[in-house]
Amino acid sequence: MKQEASAQRNCPVCQTPCQAGLQPWHFVCPACKYEGTSLEPTINVQAMHDVVDEEERERGLRAIRTENFRDLISLIRPMTKPTGRKLLEVGCAHGWFLEEVGTEFQSLGIEPDDQVRNATLKKGLHVVGGYFPDALSPEDKFDVIVFNDVIEHIPSIKDALDACNARMNKGGILVLNLPNSRGFFYLLSKLLARVGWSSPFRRLWQENLPSPHVHYFAPDNLTRLVQQTGLVHEKTVELPSVRVKGLWDRLSCARNVSTVNLLVQYFGILTVAPVLRLFPSDISVGVYRKT
């Protein structure tokens, strides 16, 4: 659902009044460069699911997500205590991260999308329905809480981060895997939007999809926000944002995008892919600890 960002909004990081951005629903903090939107989630509205080919989306995303999740688990493993093995993934979707974790942790997933969750449950994974933290039992606490491409979809992000602190054991870690506002493709999409081609920019915000992005952070303003909850920054790393395998399926899962636009974006990405390592990645991972 689209809404104009006409009302004055304050930045969730530094409380500075935001300014109008590149679309009616887009706004930017002039101080810390946080970016947000007034786009609203419509997760369990069937009409919104009809604009997404979920099977094609799954094929497109699985290759890059699985490889990145393996790197992420390698990052997490040495940062956790041998006795602290309770892991929560918020917004576990198809369960790929939980599958890669296997029995290495005592894992639980939360997934609010009924359609996606029902498919994930058939894999035998431990997943509950609903939203974080309401879907949890009052006594549930974890040593690792992971958000894989999820935290940027949560409108009340400060409440979610406060809930993470409350639900973590002492010494536990919070892992935020999310898009980077300083990434190559995001900066390119903004440049193209300024010269009149807004389709890539709107696609990166997932406009007109069931769960649009409502935030875009850079590592520094994200860390500034998370530290306000009392967590301590441990490290920030980047993960690859493009793998050729599954790229076409990933782009074409939205049924409301023209074939011409898809072809231009697909071959454009293939053209620049070899030089991407020279620029900041569009995927950033921040790790924070409860001391």
Side-chain angles (χ1 to χ4, degrees):
M1 181 182 297
K2 285 189 257 187
Q3 287 190 353
E4 289 197 4
S6 54
Q8 181 66 66
R9 295 169 182 265
N10 289 340
C11 170
V13 179
C14 64
Q15 302 306 310
T16 301
C18 291
Q19 298 176 347
L22 296 173
Q23 292 289 305
W25 38 260
H26 176 235
F27 48 88
V28 181
C29 173
C32 73
K33 308 307 177 185
Y34 158 84
E35 299 183 39
T37 76
S38 56
L39 299 173
E40 295 183 354
T42 52
I43 289 176
N44 287 313
V45 177
Q46 185 57 47
M48 296 304 295
H49 278 280
D50 292 340
V51 305
V52 180
D53 186 327
E54 195 61 46
E55 289 185 4
E56 196 162 11
R57 181 175 183 271
E58 184 172 354
R59 285 196 302 271
L61 284 173
R62 181 155 196 160
I64 186 169
R65 292 278 174 91
T66 300
E67 291 297 320
N68 284 352
F69 288 162
R70 289 170 185 162
D71 290 344
L72 193 57
I73 293 166
S74 295
L75 172 70
I76 293 171
R77 187 180 293 117
M79 301 180 71
T80 56
K81 298 177 182 179
T83 55
R85 313 306 287 175
K86 290 193 67 177
L87 180 147
L88 172 70
E89 185 187 13
V90 181
C92 63
H94 302 283
W96 301 330
F97 181 76
L98 297 179
E99 287 178 316
E100 291 300 321
V101 167
T103 59
E104 190 167 345
F105 290 87
Q106 182 184 342
S107 303
L108 171 68
I110 295 177
E111 177 51 50
D113 188 312
D114 296 336
Q115 181 176 316
V116 174
R117 184 180 69 256
N118 289 336
T120 303
L121 284 170
K122 293 178 182 178
K123 300 177 180 180
L125 297 170
H126 188 193
V127 179
V128 296
Y131 291 90
F132 174 78
D134 299 335
L136 298 172
S137 299
E139 66 277 6
D140 284 339
K141 286 203 170 186
F142 301 89
D143 303 293
V144 184
I145 298 179
V146 182
F147 289 75
N148 286 311
D149 293 286
V150 169
I151 197 73
E152 70 274 14
H153 296 272
I154 299 177
S156 53
I157 187 169
K158 184 63 163 57
D159 292 340
L161 293 172
D162 285 336
C164 289
N165 194 340
R167 291 291 185 157
M168 288 167 62
N169 291 322
K170 185 177 180 180
I173 60 171
L174 170 65
V175 182
L176 302 180
N177 172 10
L178 74 168
N180 177 11
S181 67
R182 293 181 184 151
F184 174 82
F185 284 111
Y186 185 66
L187 293 177
L188 178 61
S189 78
K190 292 173 72 174
L191 175 63
L192 294 173
R194 289 189 177 99
V195 299
W197 187 31
S198 62
S199 180
F201 182 76
R202 300 199 315 269
R203 181 68 179 83
L204 286 177
W205 279 97
Q206 298 187 9
E207 181 193 19
N208 293 325
L209 294 183
S211 184
H213 291 169
V214 292
H215 312 283
Y216 247 97
F217 291 96
D220 54 354
N221 55 29
L222 176 66
T223 291
R224 184 174 172 183
L225 177 65
V226 177
Q227 286 179 332
Q228 292 173 20
T229 69
L231 302 181
V232 176
H233 178 243
E234 287 275 306
K235 64 172 61 178
T236 296
V237 300
E238 293 182 351
L239 295 175
S241 57
V242 172
R243 297 182 191 270
V244 174
K245 183 179 179 181
L247 177 60
W248 175 257
D249 292 329
R250 182 179 177 185
L251 291 173
S252 61
C253 69
R255 296 184 172 118
N256 55 359
V257 180
S258 72
T259 302
V260 173
N261 262 330
L262 287 174
L263 288 170
V264 171
Q265 292 181 55
Y266 178 70
F267 287 108
I269 291 171
L270 290 184
T271 300
V272 301
V275 298
L276 284 181
R277 65 184 62 189
L278 301 176
F279 300 92
S281 173
D282 282 70
I283 300 178
S284 175
V285 178
V287 183
Y288 306 87
R289 190 178 296 277
K290 181 172 182 175
T291 59

